[in-house]
Each structure stands twice: as C-alpha cells, then as structure tokens.
Amino acid sequence: MKTIKLDHTFAQQVLAGTRRIVWKIFDEKHLSVGDEVQFIEKVDPDDEGTWHAIGNGTIQSVTEKRIRDITEKDYKIDTTIRSKQDIIDNFREQYGPLVTQDTPIKIVQF
C-alpha cells in the first residue's frame, strides 16, 4: 500500500473530513486513480518516532500539470491555495529552489 505523509495540521483536517485533496510534486510513488493509500501523520516532522497511521483511503482523481498551468478551477477544489506563488512558496520550504513555474504537480483527490 502506498503512503501519503501529512503534517499534523493537515492530518487533523483529513480526520475531520474537511480536506480531501493533496498537492504533490516529485511523486516517486506514481499515485494514480484507484490506489489504496495509508495516511501518515507526522506529529513532529523531524522525529519519525512520532509518525503514525491515521487511516486509509482511495484515490478518486489525479490531475497533473505544470505549476504555470494551474487555473482558477484548480484553486476552487482546494481553497487553501490562492495563487501559483502560494504553491511555489509552500513547496520551496521543503524542496528549495528546485521548485519553479515549470515544476510538474499532481492534484490528488481522495
């Protein structure tokens, strides 16, 4: 089973049912429609001893495009994202300058 790791706040939103989408770049797991996934909450991202499974789900849809091609329609399915620059800034926190307008991104709904 594939896993999707979530920070604590995001994991709590998934548990509450208020989040059903994740934006992924550099998807080495090749997430696709129909995949069964296990969600892992990273309570402390720096301490793997605090990570634990919070549930399972099935991927319902996957849309892949470059960040530069994200549209208003894409923002409407996830109201936490307000602009392309938000996406770049969020992912640069984790991946640094590798993230550009040309970076492919997957919008994964579960």
Side-chain angles (χ1 to χ4, degrees), residues 67-97:
I67 292 174
R68 78 170 58 255
D69 299 323
I70 299 292
T71 66
E72 286 293 319
K73 181 181 175 188
D74 299 316
Y75 300 141
K76 289 180 182 177
I77 61 171
D78 184 350
T79 58
T80 64
I81 303 295
R82 292 179 181 81
S83 71
K84 293 173 191 174
Q85 194 59 49
D86 275 355
I87 296 166
I88 291 170
D89 292 345
N90 288 340
F91 282 108
R92 278 189 177 164
E93 287 179 21
Q94 184 173 2
Y95 297 102

